[in-house]
Amino acid sequence: MFGAMLRFFREQAGLTQEALGRRVGFSKSQVAMVERGDRPPKGDFAPLADDAVGARGALLVAAEQLHVSHLPTWTEEYAEAEAEAVALHTYQNHVIPGQLQTGAYAHAVFNCHCPPLNDDEVNARVATRLDRQKLIRREPAPVISFVLEQIAITRPLGGPSVLKEALHHILDVARLRNVEIQVMPPTRQTHAGLNGPMILLETAKRRQLAYVEGQSGGFFVDEQPDLSDLFARYGILRAQALSPEDSVELIEQVARGL
């Protein structure tokens, strides 16, 4: 709605996106993204744009009502489905999954972001990530499983103390009745997940979804045969990984060595 209002007042004022961008100190592409709803009006954008297009405060009021998500645009739809999931199954090959991260570990992950995020954005994304972890202890309890490559529990993002805290947190979560955590050893000669990470969901209406995220975006898989293929792949991954009991023992061993 904010974007639609901005475009209306801009056109009424006879300004192009490029011209408005010059007046408010933003690029043409940034103005276009705000008008499309691809990004929120950050910083002084709303008051400067309101003045530039003569909206007489209308854009300021609209900005105050705006719900600003700190998730990447492509992740917002997934987060909505995740919050209502009755089952969540995750395979991760580089980092500890967001659902298992501590605040310090999440900070370390977002501090690796390229291009760099500012402190406010890092803090907001960390808070959003930790809030999403309520799913694990929600009632009724969802069925949750993780398969983690061993490098994810040994790579010292943030330093040894941050990793050690994260591993102890994983062990706490692994004690929950509705959660199973398995580690994939690096000695496997066959591997069903070479195509990369994936998240499998089952909604309250028993609809199955898969979510795959890449370098510059993510997407849902909800059509056959691709969906069944991903669920089958995850099943094989669980069979190839260490048992939950052996995985806990390995995580404890890694934590003791830090």
Side-chain angles (χ1 to χ4, degrees), residues 18-224:
E18 185 176 6
L20 176 58
R22 286 197 300 268
R23 293 195 183 190
V24 300
F26 287 79
S27 68
K28 174 185 176 181
S29 62
Q30 288 173 316
V31 173
M33 290 174 70
V34 172
E35 289 189 355
R36 292 195 305 267
D38 290 341
R39 62 169 290 171
K42 297 182 177 180
D44 295 329
F45 185 95
L48 290 174
D50 187 89
D51 182 65
V53 301
R56 302 175 64 182
L59 292 179
L60 298 179
V61 173
E64 290 175 357
Q65 305 301 316
L66 193 64
H67 169 69
V68 178
S69 171
H70 295 284
L71 292 170
T73 303
W74 64 82
T75 310
E76 291 183 18
E77 186 180 359
Y78 162 74
E80 293 176 3
E82 177 192 76
E84 299 177 355
V86 297
L88 176 71
H89 307 291
T90 302
Y91 166 63
Q92 180 54 259
N93 61 355
H94 288 302
V95 297
I96 295 171
Q99 288 284 4
L100 294 175
Q101 293 179 9
T102 61
Y105 188 93
H107 267 96
V109 171
F110 287 122
N111 282 335
C112 294
H113 194 278
C114 183
L117 303 171
N118 62 44
D119 290 343
D120 289 342
E121 187 67 17
V122 168
N123 291 334
R125 291 198 183 193
V126 169
T128 298
R129 175 157 294 180
L130 297 181
D131 185 65
R132 286 166 53 200
Q133 295 179 3
K134 294 176 182 177
L135 171 70
I136 293 178
R137 291 177 169 82
R138 192 196 67 199
E139 294 292 341
V143 176
I144 297 177
S145 70
F146 298 92
V147 176
L148 315 178
E149 290 294 334
Q150 189 166 323
I151 186 61
I153 65 166
T154 58
R155 177 177 282 124
L157 292 178
S161 62
V162 170
L163 177 59
K164 187 171 186 175
E165 179 193 26
L167 294 181
H168 283 299
H169 176 65
I170 290 175
L171 292 170
D172 288 340
V173 174
R175 296 187 185 100
L176 298 174
R177 293 192 197 92
N178 61 313
V179 179
E180 285 195 339
I181 298 174
Q182 295 175 255
V183 176
M184 180 70 75
T187 53
R188 286 287 321 176
Q189 295 186 19
T190 58
H191 195 297
L194 297 181
N195 289 343
M198 61 177 138
I199 302 173
L200 308 179
L201 291 166
E202 188 171 341
T203 70
K205 295 182 179 179
R206 301 299 174 178
R207 179 190 178 201
Q208 290 184 327
L209 296 169
Y211 181 75
V212 180
E213 190 169 294
Q215 290 287 335
S216 58
F219 60 92
F220 279 112
V221 178
D222 59 0
E223 295 184 359
Q224 303 296 351

Side-chain angles (χ1 to χ4, degrees), residues 235-250:
I236 297 172
L237 282 171
R238 294 193 69 177
Q240 292 174 334
L242 298 176
S243 70
E245 295 77 15
D246 289 344
S247 297
V248 164
E249 185 176 335
L250 175 60

